[in-house]
Amino acid sequence: MQQKISISAQLQSQGRVYLLPLIAVSLSIASCTANNRNIKHISLVGAGASFPAPLYERWLSDYHQKNPNVEINYQAIGSSAGVQQLIEGTVDFAASDVGITNEQAAKIKRGVIALPLTAGSIVLAYNLTPVAHQSPQVNVSTALRLPRQVYVDIFLGKITNWNHPKIAAANPGVSLPDLPIQVVHRTDGSGTTSVLTQHLSAINPEWKSKIGAGKSVAWQVGIGGKGNEGVTALIQQIPGAIGYVEYIYAKQNKLPVAALENKSGNYIKPTPESVAQTLETIKLPANNLIAFVTDPTGAQSYPIVTYTWLLTYHQYPNRVKGQVLKNFVNWALIEGQKSSLELGYIPLSKKVVLQVQTAAKKIAE
């Protein structure tokens, strides 16, 4: 990205996992076009990624305050399930942390448009709460440093205890507990899993050959939870747990997250500044606005970052539905971005906003 993102807002914690089996709010498009003033009531339904769900909840709530005529339901069921429902035509839109593949898009006769609406980081959250048999002198940093090889080996099942010498060497002065590591991963088809495993494949040949990248992979160790909220809940419940979640889920539930070693050898926390530096290196192609950087080179770049995409149809048999969705997207690109930082997401740069606005014009053309 050409323009640096200015970071000034403070992130706020609200102390809860976002459980979003269904978000139902009212939206209106009365102010958008003259014809829309005649709309009495219309409903839209969407489904997909849990990664952006807390932000979508805020956006839908804020939009509802000004626009009360249209009902939008969103289910946070995972990227894979959301894309499948879009293919089957059972939703009006979907959300995915990895966009959509050409093969999947070819199955959608009505056409599909991928719109990056926000971005964020995937963090390694952990629970080193002392258990009854531990010494009261145990002192665990709230910003544990994890080298690249160490966090890969944790997910490979090679490092199985928190006081392992390789973890201790990266954290001098920290009294690590003699506590088994319990890996927590996703059970559902997940864009978050895909982004993480793309990164692990990029930095470790063994991971790439044995496990690979994808929305669902054959985990060597660990237990599974459904959605970011399910993984977060398990990390909270299990002493010694470590798992991967979108930043806001760790932030809201006050789980410590690791500082990860990046390609430059620096240990980087997932701050708005470090995530924004990674986003600046991602160039979105004009044809589908889908791109990733699996191992950023910036000295201060946090290593696991992604956009998350809203997926709409190109054609809507009910053109009012298409216009409703287009209106909401345009609102999210301007007004909605203002609440991103507060919730731990990264607002889009002006350049990306312009790209997405151009693509969004094709909805219901």
Side-chain angles (χ1 to χ4, degrees):
M1 298 182 187
Q2 300 299 315
Q3 178 171 346
K4 284 186 174 284
I5 299 173
S6 175
I7 306 296
S8 61
Q10 296 291 321
L11 304 182
Q12 299 178 356
S13 174
Q14 299 177 12
R16 62 189 178 98
V17 174
Y18 279 89
L19 298 177
L20 295 176
L22 186 67
I23 302 170
V25 298
S26 296
L27 309 174
S28 169
I29 57 169
S31 62
C32 298
T33 67
N35 291 338
N36 291 340
R37 295 192 185 101
N38 297 323
I39 294 175
K40 300 299 182 181
H41 181 273
I42 192 166
S43 296
L44 296 175
V45 61
S50 60
F51 183 108
L55 183 60
Y56 285 0
E57 180 187 37
R58 168 66 70 83
W59 283 354
L60 295 176
S61 176
D62 289 349
Y63 197 65
H64 167 60
Q65 299 301 314
K66 297 181 179 179
N67 306 282
N69 284 354
V70 179
E71 184 179 347
I72 294 183
N73 299 319
Y74 179 75
Q75 289 182 294
I77 59 175
S79 296
S80 286
V83 170
Q84 185 58 39
Q85 289 196 14
L86 193 75
I87 291 171
E88 294 171 354
T90 57
V91 292
D92 297 303
F93 65 93
S96 169
D97 303 330
V98 289
I100 189 168
T101 67
N102 291 334
E103 293 76 15
Q104 291 169 329
K107 298 177 182 179
I108 302 175
K109 295 180 180 179
R110 292 159 58 187
V112 63
I113 301 170
L115 305 170
L117 291 191
T118 191
S121 56
I122 295 169
V123 301
L124 302 188
Y126 55 89
N127 177 0
L128 296 187
T129 302
V131 293
H133 67 273
Q134 289 180 355
S135 164
Q137 280 76 41
V138 167
N139 172 31
V140 178
S141 170
T142 56
L144 205 63
R145 290 154 53 116
L146 293 181
R148 289 152 77 86
Q149 188 61 50
V150 165
Y151 62 81
V152 174
D153 282 348
I154 287 174
F155 286 120
L156 284 172
K158 291 184 172 183
I159 293 179
T160 60
N161 202 286
W162 281 107
N163 64 358
H164 190 281
K166 289 185 177 180
I167 301 178
N171 295 275
V174 176
S175 178
L176 294 164
D178 182 8
L179 186 65
I181 294 174
Q182 176 65 71
V183 171
V184 184
H185 56 75
R186 292 281 287 271
T187 56
D188 52 322
S190 160
T192 304
T193 299
S194 181
V195 174
L196 173 74
T197 55
Q198 286 182 62
H199 170 70
L200 298 180
S201 294
I203 69 173
N204 187 271
E206 182 180 3
W207 181 277
K208 184 177 181 179
S209 63
K210 286 187 175 180
I211 311 298
K215 294 179 185 176
S216 297
V217 298
W219 293 98
Q220 301 292 289
V221 293
I223 59 173
K226 185 175 182 180
N228 276 283
E229 63 273 20
V231 172
T232 302
L234 287 172
I235 296 171
Q236 287 180 301
Q237 295 164 15
I238 303 172
I242 184 171
Y244 58 97
V245 294
E246 198 279 326
Y247 172 84
I248 187 59
Y249 290 86
K251 182 69 175 179
Q252 293 285 1
N253 293 278
K254 300 180 180 177
L255 285 171
V257 300
L260 301 182
E261 183 187 11
N262 67 11
K263 193 168 188 175
S264 297
N266 298 319
Y267 290 93
I268 306 297
K269 298 178 184 178
T271 65
E273 292 82 5
S274 66
V275 175
Q277 287 204 22
T278 301
L279 289 173
E280 289 174 9
T281 68
I282 302 176
K283 307 302 179 185
L284 297 174
N287 62 327
N288 64 9
L289 301 186
I290 299 173
F292 304 91
V293 56
T294 56
D295 191 19
T297 58
Q300 298 303 314
S301 292
Y302 182 75
I304 315 177
V305 171
T306 186
Y307 286 103
T308 183
W309 288 263
L310 191 77
L311 305 175
T312 78
Y313 294 108
H314 181 196
Q315 299 174 344
Y316 283 85
N318 183 335
R319 292 186 62 83
V320 176
K321 280 190 173 185
Q323 186 62 50
V324 168
L325 192 55
K326 182 186 292 189
N327 292 339
F328 176 72
V329 166
N330 286 326
W331 177 91
L333 288 170
I334 303 301
E335 294 301 319
Q337 298 302 307
K338 297 176 182 178
S339 56
S340 297
L341 275 175
E342 179 186 345
L343 290 178
Y345 297 86
I346 306 302
L348 304 179
S349 70
K350 290 182 179 179
K351 178 183 178 181
V352 173
V353 167
L354 289 173
Q355 286 183 280
V356 180
Q357 285 175 327
T358 298
K361 290 177 182 179
K362 300 176 182 178
I363 300 174
E365 272 189 339

